[in-house]
Structure formats: C-alpha cells, structure tokens
Amino acid sequence: MSVAFIGLGTMGRPMAERILRSGEQVNCHRVKDASRYLLELGGNEAATAADAVPDTEFVVLMLPDTPQVEGVLFGEDGVIDALRPGSVVIDMSSISPVATRQFAERVEAVGASYLDAPVSGGEIGAREGTLSIMVGGPEAVFERALPLLQKMGKNITRVGEVGAGQVCKVANQVIVGLTIEAVSEAFLLARRAGVDLGKVRDALMGGFASSRILEIHGKRMIDGVFDPVFTLRLHRKDLNIATDAARSLEIALPNTAATAQLMNAALAQGLGEKDHSALFAALSAWSPVTGD
C-alpha cells in the first residue's frame, strides 16, 4: 500500500504516523518542524502536492477547510496534475458537502475515485487509532480503502454516496457544539447559584444528562484549562457549514445558528485558538460571578 498524506497538522500528524508505523510507504506534503519526525520514521518529503501523488494508490487529505482542499486538489502543482487512473482520493477534512460532490466529479473525470471520510475523536483518537470515520462514496471503493482507514480508526461507517460522510460530520458537530453550549449554560447557572461544579458534574454523570461532553469538557470547564484539542475557530467553521447547508435545504436550525453566534463572540474575545470547551469561559465573561 502506498499513500500520499497531505496535511500534517494536529490531527494529520498522528494519523500519518500510524500509517507509517504499520509499515506502509507514505509520501508527506506540508512537512513542518512539528511533523519532521515523520521523515525519521520513513516518510518521504514531497515539495508539492503533485510530487506526493505519483505511484501512490491512496491520496489522503487532512486540511482545515474547503478552500485549502480545493487548492491542494486543483491549484498550481495540485493533486489533479499527477493523479493516476485507478487511485483513490480520501478527503478526511471537514468541509462543505456541496463542494465535496463537485470535487469528486472532477477527480472521477480523470479516472480516479473519491471518498469523503471526515473523522471524530480529536487528537487523542488520532494518536490511539480510535477515530470514528464517516465515509461517503461508492461501496466498492470504500471496501478497497477500508484496510487503510482501519489503521486510523475503529468505528468506520459508510454512510452513503459521496458527500454523505461530510453531512454526517456536520451533524456530529451540531450535536457536539450544542451540547458544549448546554453544559456551559448549566455550569454557569450552578456556579452563579454558589454550587460546587465538581459535585454538580459528579451528580449529573450518574443520570440522564451524562455524556462524554459533560465528562471530558465539563472537567476542562471546571479546571479552567482550555489547551486546544479542537479549537473554537474550527468548530465555528463547522457550524457555519451547517447553517449554509440549512439555507440550501430551506430548513431551520435555530439553535445551531445561535451557538455559531456565541462562538463568533468567543472569537471576538480572543478565544479562537482555545479548545471549543472555552465557550464556557466566554459565557462566564458575560455573567461573571463575584471573585471571577
């Protein structure tokens, strides 16, 4: 199995590392100081996206947003310039479902295949190979790519045709974002009422309000430690994708829109590069408790 891996940020680095440690050949593009160790593990550095692609069976993208994916695929020295017929592009970024379908058409026009395969599970899941991977694309192509995806994730589901993976990821981000906002409001209420947040969390974890968000992000909120696992800026981007999709489908997502606006306000407070659980800090700043 030969792989081109493009995008070596917080998530991409450990994902590429897992592929390398499994013994596969990996051509790495966008190598920076933090990802240079991948070359010591046997990765090959490619100066451009096009340089990474020749003679590879799979091209994996893990990039921040739709414009970056489009640029890497179709810009100067892009993937499309060197993509061979029969290869598979696997976009694991979280981007627009509409753009995803357009990108797939252009890739398929040169004889290659396309899967959208966004992930959930954060940096910890990427390091441990336990990511949930939501895949859109033809079933035969999914089956062919499954051994590679299994090196990076555990819960791997083909949701439907191209674009379905991105729709599923947007749904995931809506649920996560709104749950973070709900826990933030609940904690703000409890703290303003003078109740110990640690005990509130312990009590709620034993009831119907229990969730991974309450467990993990609730602890971050209590400790006031918001080192980024997934940034507020990126989550705001995902909720914007959701609201854009809602407009195109002519449906109402009122609480998603409201949470996106709260994230806008948090970014205005300088919290964009903090973990998305820092939404609690933004809400707390508007309603400070005496002694905060």
Side-chain angles (χ1 to χ4, degrees):
M1 187 184 300
S2 56
V3 180
F5 204 107
I6 302 173
L8 301 168
T10 301
M11 295 289 290
R13 282 194 303 272
M15 292 164 69
E17 179 180 346
R18 291 196 64 84
I19 299 171
L20 278 165
R21 290 191 183 278
S22 74
E24 306 297 350
Q25 173 190 331
V26 180
N27 296 337
C28 303
H29 176 50
R30 293 195 164 191
V31 176
K32 299 180 180 178
D33 288 346
S35 51
R36 192 151 295 277
Y37 75 97
L38 296 173
L39 306 182
E40 298 172 3
L41 294 176
N44 306 307
E45 183 172 8
T48 69
D51 290 339
V53 172
D55 301 321
T56 58
E57 182 181 4
F58 298 101
V59 180
V60 179
L61 310 181
M62 191 61 180
L63 298 161
D65 203 348
T66 307
Q68 288 80 21
V69 172
E70 182 174 21
V72 162
L73 285 174
F74 309 114
E76 184 177 358
D77 294 322
V79 167
I80 202 74
D81 294 336
L83 198 58
R84 70 179 188 183
S87 58
V88 181
V89 174
I90 307 175
D91 181 22
M92 306 189 78
S93 321
S94 296
I95 68 168
S96 162
V98 174
T100 290
R101 295 185 179 108
Q102 295 168 349
F103 297 165
E105 289 178 0
R106 296 173 69 179
V107 166
E108 289 164 0
V110 300
S113 299
Y114 195 100
L115 297 175
D116 54 299
V119 305
S120 180
E123 184 182 3
I124 294 172
R127 286 200 311 266
E128 297 179 353
T130 58
L131 292 170
S132 290
I133 305 178
M134 300 152 261
V135 186
E139 186 167 4
V141 181
F142 169 71
E143 292 296 337
R144 181 178 158 198
L146 188 57
L148 174 60
L149 298 175
Q150 288 171 333
K151 298 178 187 296
M152 297 177 279
K154 294 294 184 186
N155 181 30
I156 304 168
T157 306
R158 178 181 173 267
V159 183
E161 297 302 324
V162 169
Q166 296 294 352
V167 172
C168 186
K169 177 59 187 287
V170 170
N172 179 86
Q173 295 304 82
V174 167
I175 293 169
V176 172
L178 270 61
T179 305
I180 287 174
E181 197 279 333
V183 172
S184 296
E185 286 196 14
F187 276 18
L188 181 60
L189 172 67
R191 194 165 72 167
R192 174 58 69 91
V195 180
D196 184 295
L197 289 187
K199 295 190 180 301
V200 168
R201 174 176 168 272
D202 290 345
L204 295 180
M205 282 299 297
F208 206 54
S210 177
S211 71
R212 291 283 285 168
I213 299 296
L214 178 63
E215 176 188 1
I216 296 172
H217 289 321
K219 183 69 163 57
R220 292 187 178 118
M221 294 173 189
I222 292 167
D223 294 341
V225 176
F226 303 113
D227 297 334
V229 173
F230 187 76
T231 67
L232 256 169
R233 187 179 306 281
L234 284 176
H235 205 144
R236 189 274 306 265
K237 177 263 295 184
D238 290 341
L239 293 193
N240 285 344
I241 292 173
T243 55
D244 287 345
R247 278 192 293 272
S248 69
L249 295 169
E250 298 183 345
I251 59 173
L253 300 180
N255 291 327
T256 300
T259 301
Q261 287 298 319
L262 290 174
M263 289 183 174
N264 286 341
L267 265 63
Q269 294 180 30
L271 297 172
E273 304 312 315
K274 297 294 186 181
D275 188 76
H276 50 175
S277 56
L279 190 62
F280 175 62
L283 287 173
S284 298
W286 303 327
S287 305
V289 178
T290 302
D292 278 6

